[in-house]
Amino acid sequence: MTGGARGIGLEMCRQLAAQGLRVLVGARGREAAEEACRAIGPAALPLALDVTSAKSVTEAVREATGLTGGIDVLVNNAGVSLDRELRPPYVDEDILRATLDTNLTGAWRMAEVVVPGMVEAGYGRVVNVTSSYGSLALMDSGRHPAYRISKASLNALTRMLAAELSGTGVLVNAADPGWTRSGMGGPSAPRGPAEGADTPVWLATLPEGDETTGRLFADRRPLPW
């Protein structure tokens, strides 16, 4: 789990551990990951993981594989929203690069390192935590342009990766947790973390033989790309 030490990520880790999974809690700081693991219980293991660093991703996945023997589920939850007041056509290129590096390229880096092992094992679940803000079918003008473009790009990556891995036993889907109370969503969001975590956890635990892949879901219902 990337971004697993707080908010929706921490709740997803709790729910996955409650279902009997051994959970690897990734966070940029190991202390934050360790604190989260203490809150979850013995099924959780901490990982220092910065998805903006290819070196950190490679080292964290190597450590995770050594601890568990292999990774069956990858939840790309790490994300940032840095441009709340910016509106097109204006662009802050530093914000755009930083947003894409975490929200898109970070997930891509993780998939590049983790997915080959899943293919070799013949089983895997990849869940990209996205937003309906990234749905082209629902896209309009407004705030958060870099965030929205990053999530639209993550959705595209989800579809391409799902198609590439068709028939391998690796399912790739995207989940919109909705507006949830968290560090990003803020205290006024209508949903609690448990509700926001439900759909990503459902996709992460699709049973063997399920063929649901290349889809975008919210509240366990399909959304248009």
Side-chain angles (χ1 to χ4, degrees), residues 119-197:
V119 172
E120 184 177 352
Y123 176 91
R125 303 290 181 264
V126 179
V127 182
N128 293 324
V129 178
T130 186
S131 169
S132 59
Y133 268 21
S135 167
L136 292 178
L138 305 175
M139 192 78 70
D140 57 14
S141 184
R143 299 184 301 163
H144 318 284
Y147 175 78
R148 295 166 83 175
I149 286 170
S150 74
K151 292 301 186 180
S153 300
L154 181 61
N155 292 347
L157 175 63
T158 302
R159 292 196 63 174
M160 288 190 291
L161 190 58
E164 184 70 22
L165 299 175
S166 178
T168 66
V170 181
L171 307 180
V172 186
N173 292 287
D176 173 15
W179 185 17
T180 303
R181 291 187 294 277
S182 64
M184 185 183 296
S188 61
R191 293 181 164 216
E195 188 177 2

Side-chain angles (χ1 to χ4, degrees), residues 24-91:
L24 294 151
V25 181
R28 282 178 293 181
R30 183 172 288 274
E31 289 183 3
E34 290 172 347
E35 182 178 351
C37 289
R38 286 191 291 270
I40 296 166
L45 300 170
L47 281 180
L49 171 58
D50 179 359
V51 300
T52 68
S53 163
K55 181 174 183 288
S56 175
V57 167
T58 300
E59 291 177 350
V61 171
R62 184 183 299 119
E63 179 182 354
T65 302
L67 289 169
T68 64
I71 299 173
D72 297 322
V73 176
L74 168 62
V75 181
N76 284 311
N77 175 65
V80 295
S81 179
L82 306 174
D83 64 339
R84 295 174 186 268
E85 302 304 322
L86 197 66
R87 291 174 179 266
Y90 307 104
V91 60

